[in-house]
Amino acid sequence: MKNVILTGDRPTGKLHLGHYVGSLKRRVILQNSGEFDDIYIMVADAQALTDNADDVNKVRNNISEVALDYLACGLDPKKSVIFIQSQIPELCELSFYYMNLVTVSRLQRNPTVKNEIQLRGFKQSIPTGFFTYPISQAADITAFKANVVPVGEDQLPMIEQTREIVRSFNTMYKEVLVEPQAVLPENELCARLPGLDGAAKMSKSLGNCIYLSDSEKDIKKKVQSMFTDPLHLRVEDPGHLEGNTVFTYLDAFSHDEHFEEFLPAYKNLDELKAHYCRGGLGDGTVKKFLNEIMQAELRPIRERREEFQKDLGEVFNMLQKGSEKARDVAAQTLDEVKTAMGINYFKSNFLNK
Ligand code: TRP
């Protein structure tokens, strides 16, 4: 069996540091590992429209932003097929047949959908497209026969639902579809980078993000505004690490080499933490250090992004080529699906059957 990755993002905003540590960084490592036969990275514009039907422009404008973020992080169109979901009509067709394999009550039990319905305040007015997006997501994954889907934890119910659809289809018709496996971020810190304000998650709507496209100045300002320890009022006071976002970020990003380069008075994070807890270490010093690290991490990404941004035409060409390639693959799967179901009337020997 082939080793195939599919994953994607809704283009509802630029990607931020949470996306980067939670998934983009890993994707690039997987892409460059040489362990995969095919890699598909999808800009999920159709899924984004399921709760943004009245704001197509937002989705439209963010397609290139997300594509730029991908390229800036090191996703490489020579190694990965980067494409736009809405340009693959076969995905709709697959969804339509999969809908018959899923009950309304099963969708109602999907914890991610449940949670998102509440977050968006839909109450009784849930758009049908939104309600059924787990089925469309199963189409995204199965169209490419992906066996590996790198995602965040919140997407686990989607993968589970996809697996159920695959099993139903393969049992009811014929073994055509591949059951996917989710691949989660390596550790808790990567899975859930808190926002700058200490909120559980970085999220655009909370305005607590560092974007991959942020300027040096923006990053500095944002790091300076980060939530620390409200009890640490004077430098001499003992500081606390728990819930201290600056230290959470240091846990996620700092290496011993950073100390050598930017803060040689300490050997490593343990020493810095010990001093902070003892008292006598100001937040300003720690934030200055974190800023150096963030700048070092984000500078190459931003610079690559600016380079790609100079030629958006080329970015769209890349997306178009990727979409054409993706479409060929999805069409092949759809053909197998229809044959398995016995509805490929003009291709199979319909009259003899
Ligand atoms: N639901 C994903 C998100 O919220 C986007 C997505 C759409 C996706 N289809 C997918 C992810 C298939 C993995 C596999 O960003």
Side-chain angles (χ1 to χ4, degrees):
M1 200 181 74
K2 270 181 148 186
N3 234 351
V4 180
I5 288 182
L6 177 123
T7 188
D9 303 274
R10 297 180 195 178
T12 51
K14 294 176 177 189
L15 302 181
H16 52 63
L17 202 58
H19 293 117
Y20 180 63
V21 292
S23 80
L24 292 169
K25 209 171 172 175
R26 183 77 173 284
R27 274 185 221 175
V28 175
I29 293 171
L30 292 173
Q31 169 194 267
N32 297 334
S33 72
E35 282 172 31
F36 293 89
D37 299 296
D38 299 305
I39 299 167
Y40 298 93
I41 309 289
M42 181 180 75
V43 184
D45 65 331
Q47 188 177 105
L49 288 172
T50 63
D51 64 334
N52 286 286
D54 58 349
D55 200 356
V56 179
N57 267 334
K58 175 171 91 182
V59 174
R60 203 186 132 81
N61 294 335
N62 278 306
I63 290 177
S64 53
E65 298 292 350
V66 169
L68 284 171
D69 288 327
Y70 284 168
L71 295 169
C73 288
L75 287 173
D76 175 357
K78 288 200 202 73
K79 300 178 186 163
S80 299
V81 179
I82 305 175
F83 70 98
I84 305 179
Q85 185 184 29
S86 64
Q87 302 309 296
I88 322 294
E90 286 77 7
L91 297 176
C92 300
E93 229 179 307
L94 286 171
S95 305
F96 196 63
Y97 299 124
Y98 295 169
M99 281 189 186
N100 304 328
L101 308 176
V102 181
T103 63
V104 172
S105 68
R106 176 63 183 88
L107 281 171
Q108 277 167 335
R109 272 186 281 119
N110 184 311
T112 302
V113 176
K114 242 171 148 169
N115 185 26
E116 289 179 331
I117 286 171
Q118 218 172 30
L119 278 177
R120 286 164 177 71
F122 283 145
K123 300 212 165 77
Q124 292 311 306
S125 314
I126 310 163
T128 309
F130 185 83
F131 184 60
T132 55
Y133 92 74
I135 302 177
S136 126
Q137 195 154 332
D140 302 334
I141 296 168
T142 55
F144 301 95
K145 301 198 174 166
N147 56 333
V148 173
V149 186
V151 281
E153 220 171 15
D154 62 317
Q155 295 292 303
L156 281 179
M158 302 298 158
I159 312 300
E160 192 43 46
Q161 185 129 38
T162 302
R163 290 164 63 86
E164 285 174 31
I165 291 173
V166 168
R167 288 196 288 266
S168 298
F169 185 96
N170 286 350
T171 314
M172 199 174 289
Y173 306 113
K174 197 178 155 223
E175 280 289 316
V176 168
L177 303 178
V178 174
E179 250 184 80
Q181 205 84 49
V183 173
L184 292 178
E186 265 150 358
N187 58 50
E188 191 63 28
L189 271 176
C190 292
R192 216 165 286 266
L193 191 72
L196 298 171
D197 55 355
K201 233 176 128 174
M202 234 185 218
S203 112
K204 191 175 48 138
S205 50
L206 295 175
N208 59 5
C209 307
I210 293 181
Y211 291 97
L212 299 178
S213 50
D214 274 350
S215 68
E216 188 168 342
K217 244 167 90 193
D218 290 337
I219 297 169
K220 191 167 172 199
K221 221 165 54 203
K222 287 180 179 181
V223 171
Q224 273 164 354
S225 78
M226 274 174 83
F227 182 77
T228 55
D229 170 12
L231 302 173
H232 190 227
L233 297 175
R234 292 166 307 174
V235 172
E236 317 82 80
D237 292 339
H240 300 83
L241 303 175
E242 193 151 331
N244 189 323
T245 318
V246 174
F247 277 95
T248 312
Y249 278 43
L250 286 176
D251 279 327
F253 293 100
S254 75
H255 305 297
D256 292 356
E257 296 83 68
H258 288 136
F259 284 90
E260 216 175 294
E261 195 175 348
F262 304 125
L263 197 59
Y266 305 85
K267 252 206 205 61
N268 54 39
L269 189 54
D270 287 339
E271 276 189 23
L272 188 76
K273 282 179 176 172
H275 192 183
Y276 191 78
C277 293
R278 258 197 329 270
L281 175 57
D283 282 349
T285 309
V286 188
K287 284 182 170 175
K288 195 158 163 269
F289 177 50
L290 177 62
N291 176 54
E292 299 282 7
I293 297 174
M294 297 294 22
Q295 300 289 357
E297 182 94 16
L298 293 172
R299 189 176 304 113
I301 297 178
R302 181 178 57 246
E303 286 175 358
R304 270 199 305 269
R305 203 181 190 281
E306 283 165 2
E307 241 357 85
F308 285 114
Q309 187 148 25
K310 286 185 190 151
D311 196 351
L312 273 184
E314 198 36 59
V315 174
F316 273 98
N317 273 340
M318 179 280 289
L319 287 169
Q320 186 175 355
K321 276 198 208 119
S323 300
E324 283 162 9
K325 235 193 246 176
R327 193 167 176 194
D328 285 344
V329 178
Q332 168 63 32
T333 304
L334 177 64
D335 194 56
E336 290 172 38
V337 159
K338 288 169 86 172
T339 302
M341 293 172 69
I343 58 170
N344 231 345
Y345 307 120
F346 303 119
K347 274 205 172 165
S348 61
N349 250 339
F350 180 49
L351 292 177
N352 297 336
K353 213 165 173 191

